[in-house]
Amino acid sequence: MRFRLSVAAAASPLALVLGLTTGPALAQQVECGGIGAGGTWIGGTPEASDVATAMGTLSLIEQPVPSGGSTVALFSLSQPMEVRLEAQPTPGGDSVIELYDAGGQLVVTDDDSGGGLASRAETLLQPGEYCLATRGFGGSALTADIAVGQLGHAAITQGLSGGFFDGDGDPDMPIFVGIDPCLPDTPATPLGGDMLDAMLDEGGAEATNTISGTPYYRFSLASPQPLTIRAENPNADPYIYVFDGQGELLAENDDYDSLNSRIDFTDPLPAGDYCIGMRALADPELPVTVRVARYDQQAALNELYTLGEAAPPLDGSWPVVDMGVLPPRAVRDAQVSGRNAEWFTFEMPSRGMILIDAIEVTDSDPMIALFDDLGREIAFNDDAGGSLNSQLALRLDPGRYMLSVVQYADSYQGIIRIATERFVPATE
C-alpha cells in the first residue's frame, strides 16, 4: 500500500466556494459565511432536511464535486443531537468533508475516517442550520454520495472498523473520529514557549505525548516564517491539521512518509497564533512526536530523494547507479535499508516493452517507481500479484530513465533483487 501526500494548502476553506455545484432545491437563506451559496437541501426541501425529525439517513446520491471546488449539502436540527456526516466517493475519488454552522464557523472536518478514502465524522450539534461541504483531497474532482443522519440511522460508509484500524477487534480502540477546530479557547499545550522564532534558529521545537492526552498544540510567530510540521509514530498513524488563531483550517495531512504526517508551509506563515490538531487512525494511546521547524527547500528535496518520491538530478550530487544501455535481461541485488531509496538510471536504446521486478531476497517489502529524464513519475508499484514483491510492465520510448527502489517501512533492512527484461517489437 502506498500513500501519496499532501503538502501545505494555506488557502482559506472559503476559497473553495468557487465552482460550487447547484441542485434543484437551492436555499439562499443559509449563508454559513458564504459556504452555503448554491447549496442543496439534503432532504430535497428545508422542511424535509431536519435530521432530528428524519425517519432515516438523508442523502444526496452521485453528486459531482468540481476540481478545486466543493459541493454543499444543507440541513438543519430542531433539537440537540449527535449526527453522523459522511461522503462516500466512487472508486478513484478521495473525499474531504467540512461542516460549517450558519455563521460560517468550521465545526468539524474529516478526510478518511469513513474507511478507505471515504469521509465520516460524528459530532454533537446544537439546533440550527448547517452546511456540509464535500471536496476532493488536493482539489481533485470526484463523484460522491453525501449523507447526514442520526447515529441510529444506517451509515453509507464502513468506518475505520475491521483489521488494522480497530486494533484487531479491541473494543477500546476508536473506530472513527472527526476533529473539532482549534478555537482561541480550545485547551492546547504550548509548543516552543511564548514565541517559536528563536527556537527555529536552533532546529525548532518538538514534544512527545499521546494524542488522547494532547490532541492540540499551540504556537506563536513573532515574524513571518516558512515552516515544516511533522507528527511521527507510524504505529499510531497520526493525522494532523493546522489552524490559525481563529480556528480556520489552513492545511491537513495524512501519510506523508509511510504512516507519519507532515505539512510544509513553503510560503511564510504570517506572524500570529497557530494551533496543531491531531487524531490517530490507529492507536491514540501511543506517543507521537510533533516537530515544528523552519522549512528548508534543499533539505525537503533531499528528503524526497531519500524516500524515492522525487527523482534526484543526474549531476553527481546524489548517488545514482548507472546501469548504462539496458541489455535484454539483467539481474542485480541491492541492500536497501528501510525508507532510504536506492537509485538507478538506464538508457532505453529503442522503443519497446520493459518488465521490471523487485523481489525480496531477505527481509524486504520493496516499492519501485520509474521516472523519465525530466523527473516525472511515470509508473509506480507495490505488492504485485498478491505478494510483497513489486513489478512494472510498460512500453517506453528511447531515452534515459530513473528507477527508485525503497522498502515500505524502516523495519525492512534486507536485500532486494532487481531484474529487468527488455522486449523490442517484432517488426523492428
Side-chain angles (χ1 to χ4, degrees):
M1 183 182 296
R2 188 194 210 192
F3 300 92
R4 280 291 194 181
L5 347 187
S6 116
V7 291
S12 163
L14 292 178
L16 300 176
V17 174
L18 296 176
L20 289 171
T21 61
T22 58
L26 303 182
Q28 302 299 327
Q29 72 271 24
V30 183
E31 295 296 333
C32 296
I35 295 292
T40 302
W41 284 105
I42 196 165
T45 65
E47 296 74 20
S49 300
D50 183 352
V51 177
T53 59
M55 299 302 293
T57 300
L58 302 175
S59 61
L60 299 173
I61 305 301
E62 296 185 353
Q63 294 297 295
V65 178
S67 175
S70 296
T71 291
V72 177
L74 310 175
F75 69 92
S76 65
L77 277 178
S78 56
Q79 63 186 63
M81 181 170 292
E82 286 192 84
V83 301
R84 179 187 298 117
L85 315 161
E86 300 173 276
Q88 177 66 64
T90 56
D94 185 354
S95 62
V96 177
I97 56 173
E98 296 167 348
L99 180 68
Y100 297 86
D101 65 17
Q105 178 66 54
L106 178 65
V107 177
V108 68
T109 181
D110 182 76
D111 181 9
D112 294 334
S113 292
L117 300 178
S119 305
R120 177 165 166 170
E122 296 181 356
T123 187
L124 174 64
L125 298 178
Q126 299 302 312
E129 295 175 326
Y130 294 90
C131 300
L132 178 62
T134 300
R135 59 181 176 85
F137 186 80
S140 60
L142 55 90
T143 299
D145 296 340
I146 301 167
V148 181
Q150 302 173 20
L151 297 192
H153 292 162
I156 67 169
T157 61
Q158 65 180 4
L160 296 182
S161 58
F164 174 80
F165 289 104
D166 71 350
D168 294 326
D170 184 348
D172 295 327
M173 289 288 289
I175 296 178
F176 51 84
V177 292
I179 183 169
D180 296 327
C182 186
L183 303 175
D185 59 351
T186 299
T189 299
L191 187 65
D194 293 335
M195 289 295 174
L196 186 65
D197 304 66
M199 299 188 69
L200 295 176
D201 296 331
E202 304 299 326
E206 70 174 58
T208 301
N209 293 288
T210 65
I211 290 180
S212 61
T214 310
Y216 296 98
Y217 292 91
R218 201 181 299 278
F219 66 90
S220 299
L221 296 174
S223 60
Q225 300 282 352
L227 295 180
T228 180
I229 300 172
R230 309 186 187 202
E232 299 174 333
N233 185 342
N235 293 323
D237 194 0
Y239 193 122
I240 58 174
Y241 305 78
V242 177
F243 302 89
D244 69 10
Q246 301 306 309
E248 182 175 308
L249 181 65
L250 301 181
E252 60 187 278
N253 179 253
D254 178 32
D255 300 337
Y256 183 98
D257 172 17
S258 182
L259 298 179
N260 295 323
S261 296
R262 170 175 171 173
I263 294 172
D264 289 333
F265 290 97
T266 58
D267 292 329
L269 284 176
D273 298 326
Y274 297 92
C275 184
I276 303 167
M278 294 195 301
R279 62 186 176 113
L281 295 184
D283 190 345
E285 301 302 328
L286 292 177
V288 172
T289 298
V290 176
R291 294 186 176 92
V292 179
R294 183 176 286 117
Y295 175 79
D296 181 283
Q297 178 178 337
Q298 189 57 55
L301 284 173
N302 290 345
E303 186 166 356
L304 290 175
Y305 304 156
T306 298
L307 296 173
E309 300 281 0
L314 290 172
D315 57 5
S317 61
W318 197 265
V320 179
V321 176
D322 192 345
M323 300 169 62
V325 177
L326 200 65
R329 188 172 188 273
V331 178
R332 67 173 64 216
D333 292 340
Q335 179 81 43
V336 182
S337 300
R339 298 285 290 166
N340 292 290
E342 295 293 325
W343 284 94
F344 303 86
T345 182
F346 61 84
E347 189 82 22
M348 281 287 288
S350 60
R351 188 169 187 266
M353 289 292 298
I354 185 172
L355 181 67
I356 304 174
D357 283 288
I359 302 167
E360 175 190 12
V361 177
T362 62
D363 186 32
S364 292
D365 182 357
M367 301 191 302
I368 54 177
L370 189 66
F371 299 78
D372 66 13
D373 60 344
L374 297 180
R376 295 174 296 198
E377 184 179 308
I378 56 179
F380 168 84
N381 183 253
D382 179 28
D383 297 348
S387 72
L388 295 182
N389 299 323
S390 296
Q391 184 181 82
L392 293 174
L394 66 164
R395 187 182 301 276
L396 295 179
D397 290 325
R400 181 163 291 275
Y401 296 87
M402 299 184 68
L403 176 71
S404 73
V405 183
V406 67
Q407 304 278 14
Y408 174 73
D410 283 327
S411 57
Y412 294 99
Q413 299 286 321
I415 296 173
I416 296 173
R417 178 158 296 159
I418 303 152
T420 60
E421 292 185 79
R422 180 172 61 86
F423 308 89
V424 297
T427 56
E428 293 185 3

